[in-house]
Amino acid sequence: MHYPAIGRCWHCGTELTELDYAREATCPGCRKATHCCRNCRWYAPGRANDCAEPVAEPVTYKDRANFCGYFEPSFPQPAAGAQDDPDALRQAAEDLFKDGQ
C-alpha cells in the first residue's frame, strides 16, 4: 500500500508519509527524528519556546523526538521557484481580498 506524502523532513526535504511521523520514527533520507519540533507546523523560531502553540510544554531540543501532544506535521514546501513568481504572488494576494465574488 502506498501512503501519500503529508510533509517534508526539516533537515533534508525528503517527503514523509503519516507512518514516518511515529514517535520514534526517523527520516528515510537522513535518519533525523521526524516527530520533533523542527518538523511541526507550530514550530516558530523567535516566539516563546519557538512554538506558535501557546500552551505546549517547553521542549529543549527542537531536533529530537518528543512527546508533544500538539505535534502536527509541517506542510510540504512549494515547488522551487514558485514563491518567487511576482505575478503568482500578486494574484494570490488579490484572491485573498476578493469580496465574495
Side-chain angles (χ1 to χ4, degrees):
M1 176 177 246
H2 176 71
Y3 293 93
I6 61 169
R8 292 190 178 273
C9 174
W10 65 271
H11 186 258
C12 70
T14 297
E15 287 186 343
L16 301 172
T17 68
E18 185 175 355
L19 296 177
D20 292 321
Y21 287 104
R23 164 68 177 87
E24 292 292 328
T26 58
C27 172
C30 67
R31 297 291 177 220
K32 298 285 186 180
T34 54
H35 192 286
C36 67
C37 295
R38 297 285 304 263
N39 253 1
C40 182
R41 75 174 287 242
W42 300 111
Y43 181 63
R47 297 204 53 185
N49 192 32
D50 291 333
C51 186
E53 176 52 59
V55 296
E57 294 288 324
V59 174
T60 303
Y61 300 103
K62 308 298 183 197
D63 59 348
R64 295 186 187 170
N66 60 58
F67 290 101
C68 182
Y70 296 99
F71 177 84
E72 291 181 34
S74 59
F75 298 107
Q77 298 297 314
Q83 68 273 16
D84 299 330
D85 180 6
D87 293 328
L89 291 173
R90 186 176 305 106
Q91 185 62 49
E94 289 172 4
D95 290 346
L96 278 175
F97 297 102
K98 284 186 178 176
D99 55 348
Q101 294 181 20

